[in-house]
Amino acid sequence: MPSVSKVLVAKVVVFAACAAALLTFPGWAANPYILSAGIVVLSYAVLSTSWNFVGGFTGYISLGHAAFFGLGAYGTALLITRLELPSFVAWALAGIGVALFAIPVGWAALRVRGASFVIVSIALVLILLLVFQSWSGLTGGSNGLVVPRPFPDMLRPEHHETFFYLFAALLAVTLLAWWAIDRSRFGMGLKAIREDEDKAEALGVPTYAYKLVVYVVSAFFTALGGGMYALWFGDLDPVFQFSILIGSYMVLMALLGGVRQLYGPLLGALIVGSALEYFKLEFGDTQFHLVATGLLLGVVVLFMPDGIIPAGMKLVDRFTPERSSIREMTAAELLERDQGEQGAKRDEAGRHAATPTTREKAKR
């Protein structure tokens, strides 16, 4: 019990320290660029956590979640520019619309598994990229689409700070939803699918329905991340919004931190997102950041297939003293333990014998 309480205290301390660092980041950011880089990292954290609803719970690897990111961004922008809806009303409606769109997409895509599912997810991104590039009358095509700022009176630093906290709030809601599913009966069914889908179905788990529901939830949060990015950045380009790289980054971040962990995608986003911003700043428009990303993915697959958090937990367990089992006890220690248990039983029997029964009390 003492070791359990120590672990709990350590988790609370780490969580409080991380939350304090996150909430005070705009105050100690050196300049607006650092603050904007922090927003990018937070957006990656939202996207990788959203992807982890599918990848972490079911084990299905989707490289096509950039489709929902782009649809959320363009849906928010079009509802604002075409229908003149308030910014955050458009953002919420775009998320709901993408979730509804994900129902027929998931209904078709989730009928296949493994590499076939990966190919279907990539095809979805490429199809939407062609549609949004070609439909220039609605989407602006290759010229892009400008999104009106939701806070036009704010200066750029204040704008960055506001959206930093908005992204942090969206991340908190996404993490809370993942945590709730992880501890629910629904989550147990999803984990059974991840371990052995055929066996889970044989045991009565409605595997197809479970997969479809979590796929739609994942698409919804990914779309909200895309819509929030559109409101913050203000300039959309279909080549970026529907990029296979965005989906690859989501997968890499989740794998790096640990797909079965609540904070795994968050840790992966912090590492990969920060590295990407650094490489882009140092090496400009070169493709060096892609080389570094590929090397990092190779290292993760070879040396930490379960992610950083599980690897760290195994390392801590290796150096933590374990309670001795009965096989590790010497004969003298075992005899002493048995004598102690027998003495305790005799003392307990003696106390019961010395205590008058209810019938004896009545006679007296």
Side-chain angles (χ1 to χ4, degrees):
M1 290 301 293
S3 60
V4 175
S5 62
K6 289 180 180 179
V7 171
L8 180 60
V9 170
K11 288 182 178 180
V12 172
V13 170
V14 171
F15 176 80
C18 293
L22 176 66
L23 296 176
T24 58
F25 178 78
W28 51 268
N31 52 57
Y33 172 76
I34 299 296
L35 181 55
S36 66
I39 296 175
V40 172
V41 172
L42 272 181
S43 70
Y44 280 136
V46 171
L47 296 179
S48 58
T49 304
S50 301
W51 177 90
N52 205 37
F53 281 95
V54 172
F57 284 128
T58 68
Y60 278 59
I61 303 299
S62 170
L63 294 176
H65 264 54
F68 304 130
F69 172 75
L71 286 173
Y74 269 96
T76 301
L78 292 174
L79 288 174
I80 295 172
T81 56
R82 306 300 181 184
L83 300 182
E84 299 183 351
L85 293 179
S87 298
F88 290 98
V89 173
W91 170 71
L93 290 177
I96 296 172
V98 173
L100 295 175
F101 171 78
I103 295 175
V105 172
W107 180 82
L110 292 170
R111 293 183 178 277
V112 296
R113 306 181 191 176
S116 299
F117 178 77
V118 176
I119 294 172
V120 170
S121 66
I122 294 174
L124 175 63
V125 180
L126 297 179
I127 291 171
L128 289 176
L129 172 60
L130 292 175
V131 169
F132 277 77
Q133 274 188 317
S134 304
W135 201 352
S136 56
L138 179 66
T139 66
S142 299
N143 295 324
L145 184 64
V146 176
V147 186
R149 293 173 60 179
F151 309 110
D153 298 330
M154 284 187 179
L155 298 176
R156 198 64 180 172
E158 296 172 343
H159 183 79
H160 285 335
E161 184 175 351
T162 300
F163 270 94
F164 181 89
Y165 288 117
L166 288 174
F167 269 110
L170 178 58
L171 175 61
V173 173
T174 309
L175 289 171
L176 181 61
W178 199 96
W179 178 86
I181 291 177
D182 185 47
R183 282 155 177 76
S184 66
R185 184 175 181 180
F186 175 56
M188 292 178 62
L190 293 173
K191 294 173 189 175
I193 294 172
R194 181 185 65 201
E195 300 302 326
D196 191 328
E197 185 169 347
D198 293 328
K199 186 179 292 185
E201 188 171 3
L203 292 174
V205 177
T207 56
Y208 186 73
Y210 275 28
K211 290 187 298 183
L212 182 58
V213 170
V214 81
Y215 186 80
V216 172
V217 172
S218 179
F220 173 69
F221 282 108
T222 305
L224 291 182
M228 189 70 74
Y229 181 89
L231 293 177
W232 169 64
F233 195 71
D235 191 4
L236 303 182
D237 180 3
V239 174
F240 173 77
Q241 308 305 140
F242 297 98
S243 172
I244 296 295
L245 282 177
I246 298 295
S248 302
Y249 290 155
M250 296 183 203
V251 178
L252 174 59
M253 292 169 186
L255 289 177
L256 179 62
V259 292
R260 302 185 182 188
Q261 307 294 323
L262 174 62
Y263 298 113
L266 177 58
L267 178 60
L270 179 62
I271 297 172
V272 177
S274 301
L276 288 174
E277 289 302 304
Y278 173 78
F279 288 136
K280 290 177 182 179
L281 178 64
E282 291 294 322
F283 302 101
D285 295 331
T286 65
Q287 301 303 311
F288 184 76
H289 66 283
L290 299 180
V291 176
T293 302
L295 291 174
L296 180 59
L297 180 59
V299 169
V300 170
V301 172
L302 289 175
F303 300 104
M304 292 182 293
D306 294 329
I308 292 177
I309 294 180
M313 292 171 64
K314 290 179 181 178
L315 186 63
V316 171
D317 291 340
R318 181 179 300 178
F319 293 99
T320 301
E322 298 181 358
R323 292 182 62 185
S324 299
S325 65
I326 189 171
R327 294 182 180 179
E328 296 171 338
M329 288 178 136
T330 65
E333 291 173 340
L334 186 59
L335 179 60
E336 183 180 355
R337 191 197 68 175
D338 291 341
Q339 288 175 346
E341 290 179 355
Q342 291 174 3
K345 290 180 180 179
R346 285 196 298 268
D347 292 342
E348 185 70 19
R351 283 196 297 270
H352 283 297
T355 303
T357 62
T358 305
R359 185 175 297 178
E360 290 175 348
K361 291 181 180 179
K363 290 180 179 179
R364 293 175 185 176

